[in-house]
């Protein structure tokens, strides 16, 4: 399998340039520099964490949103999330995996969480992804 490498700045730049046009209903999170947008960008800028999220997705079939809600630094935010915020998280990671990393398929999984009942993991990618 061919390896594709992405720099964190490339991921961040792609998110900032394209997310709002692909997911128009959620563009307000970016325009308003919403706390969820900021935390998502912070993750996208973290090489080690992004590689862990990719590993969890690819090897363990753990959805990226589940990893996000499991991070200790996000625990303070979780009780405040409404249904629209949760959908935003799904679109944020969906954009990364489908539009940047080029995964072709996705599958919904039930996850054991009080915050989010189900989330998506991504598969059918012709590349091995690494964030450098």
């Amino acid at each position: 399998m061919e390896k594709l490498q992405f720099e964190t700045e490339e991921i961040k730049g792609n998110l900032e340039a394209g997310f709002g046009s692909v997911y128009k209903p959620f563009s307000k999170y970016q325009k308003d520099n919403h706390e969820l947008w900021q935390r998502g960008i912070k993750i996208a800028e973290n090489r080690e964490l992004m590689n862990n999220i990719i590993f969890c997705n690819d090897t363990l079939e753990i959805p990226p949103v589940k990893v996000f809600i499991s991070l200790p630094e996000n625990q303070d935010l979780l009780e405040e999330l409404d249904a629209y915020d949760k959908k935003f998280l799904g679109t944020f990671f969906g954009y990364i995996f489908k539009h940047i990393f080029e995964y072709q398929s996705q599958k919904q999984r039930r996850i054991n969480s009080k915050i989010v009942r189900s989330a998506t993991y991504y598969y059918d990618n012709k590349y091995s992804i690494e964030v450098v």
Side-chain angles (χ1 to χ4, degrees), residues 2-15:
E2 185 181 345
K3 182 182 268 189
L4 270 187
Q5 294 183 327
F6 293 89
E7 294 186 8
T8 56
E9 284 302 312
E10 181 182 1
I11 297 168
K12 179 184 173 189
N14 195 313
L15 277 160

Side-chain angles (χ1 to χ4, degrees), residues 108-122:
Q108 193 105 21
R109 284 198 84 115
R110 182 153 172 73
I111 58 176
N112 205 8
S113 167
K114 294 177 188 172
I115 308 301
V116 177
R117 291 190 190 119
S118 65
T120 300
Y121 75 93
Y122 305 90

Side-chain angles (χ1 to χ4, degrees), residues 23-56:
Y23 293 107
K24 288 181 179 91
F26 296 97
S27 63
K28 71 175 189 146
Y29 287 84
Q30 181 180 8
K31 288 178 191 166
D32 297 343
N33 201 26
H34 190 280
E35 180 71 19
L36 284 176
W37 177 262
Q38 292 175 28
R39 291 189 190 208
I41 292 294
K42 187 175 178 181
I43 287 171
E45 294 175 319
N46 184 325
R47 180 191 60 78
E48 184 178 354
L49 183 52
M50 283 302 300
N51 284 317
N52 288 337
I53 290 171
I54 293 165
F55 173 81
C56 288

